[in-house]
């Protein structure tokens, strides 16, 4: 079955960087687009970014554009989110999700990022 | 960006009740609308895709309809395990967006 396992979260200071990873198994990773979605404490879901199956196409929410970079290594079945210039408002649980053409059909358990001085 | 408006933001219901949640978009999205369920401390779970298609394994008491800008999720007979927060999400534009969520609570 599909498994997505995020890692790399933690507590960081404003202005610093962090890289999240999402290790995928149970499906042919290299044939699916992948997404990051986040959820601030007590708040709703916010779509963050998408990367195409081959890594050639990427889109970002306006709130993270220019600061976050999505990437993937299909040889390692792993998705990444490089987060730079972190702000307090980036504090959230970050989920990776497997994307069908139009839907997020499988989700990881999430990785908590806290940005605080 | 396409804006999503869910209503109500929360509702109180009893087991066996029929529950309806609506989602309105700021522009037409054809049928590119999905519904998710999220329970506290858990990842969201896909319920409905492409406006009205039930995801495999999801109970048939869940149904959905709509197109263009107006969409509805219905739970025909609320069960104890259905108390959760529900989100709509559009995949029409390159920048996907979620509704703000509807929390279904015990009456």
């Amino acid at each position: 079955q599909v498994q997505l396992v995020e890692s790399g979260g933690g507590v960081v200071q404003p202005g610093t960087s962090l890289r999240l990873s999402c290790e995928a198994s149970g499906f042919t990773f290299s044939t699916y687009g992948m997404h990051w979605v986040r959820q601030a404490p007590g708040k709703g879901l916010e779509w963050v970014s998408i990367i195409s199956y081959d890594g050639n196409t990427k889109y970002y929410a306006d709130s993270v554009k220019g600061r976050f970079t999505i990437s993937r290594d299909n040889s390692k079945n792993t998705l990444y989110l490089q987060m730079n210039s972190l702000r307090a408002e980036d504090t959230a649980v970050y989920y990776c999700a497997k994307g069908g053409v139009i839907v997020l059909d499988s989700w990881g358990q999430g990785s908590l990022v806290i940005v605080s001085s | 960006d396409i804006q999503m408006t869910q209503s109500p933001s929360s509702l109180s219901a009893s087991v066996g009740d029929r529950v309806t949640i609506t989602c309105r978009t700021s522009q037409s999205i054809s049928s590119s609308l999905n519904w998710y369920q999220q329970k506290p401390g858990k990842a969201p779970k896909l319920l409905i895709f492409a406006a009205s298609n039930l995801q495999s394994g999801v109970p048939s008491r869940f149904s959905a309809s709509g197109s263009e800008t107006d969409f509805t999720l219905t739970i025909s007979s609320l069960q104890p395990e259905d108390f959760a927060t529900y989100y709509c999400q559009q995949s029409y534009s390159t920048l996907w967006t979620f509704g703000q969520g509807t929390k279904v609570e015990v009456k």
Side-chain angles (χ1 to χ4, degrees), chain A residues 12-109:
Chain A
V12 296
Q13 293 192 330
T16 61
S17 300
L18 198 63
R19 189 178 82 158
L20 301 181
S21 300
C22 170
E23 188 168 342
S25 60
F27 66 103
T28 306
F29 181 73
S30 61
T31 64
Y32 285 89
M34 295 294 295
H35 299 250
W36 288 99
V37 176
R38 69 183 182 182
Q39 187 169 36
K43 303 296 184 182
L45 300 171
E46 179 187 15
W47 177 85
V48 172
S49 184
I50 179 177
I51 186 168
S52 60
Y53 70 99
D54 58 2
N56 288 337
T57 302
K58 307 172 186 180
Y59 295 106
Y60 300 92
D62 290 344
S63 57
V64 306
K65 194 170 185 179
R67 300 188 299 122
F68 289 12
T69 302
I70 192 171
S71 62
R72 65 191 297 159
D73 186 338
N74 285 344
S75 68
K76 296 181 178 179
N77 288 349
T78 302
L79 173 73
Y80 303 100
L81 185 67
Q82 178 67 43
M83 304 184 291
N84 297 334
S85 303
L86 282 162
R87 306 166 179 168
E89 54 264 37
D90 297 318
T91 293
V93 174
Y94 285 74
Y95 295 99
C96 68
K98 170 177 166 277
V101 176
I102 59 169
V103 70
L104 303 169
D105 57 22
S106 299
W107 298 63
Q109 85 289 349

Side-chain angles (χ1 to χ4, degrees), chain B residues 6-24:
Chain B
Q6 279 184 243
S7 61
S9 297
S10 64
L11 65 90
S12 299
S14 301
V15 172
D17 284 354
R18 182 182 182 88
V19 169
T20 299
I21 299 168
T22 64
C23 179
R24 179 163 290 174

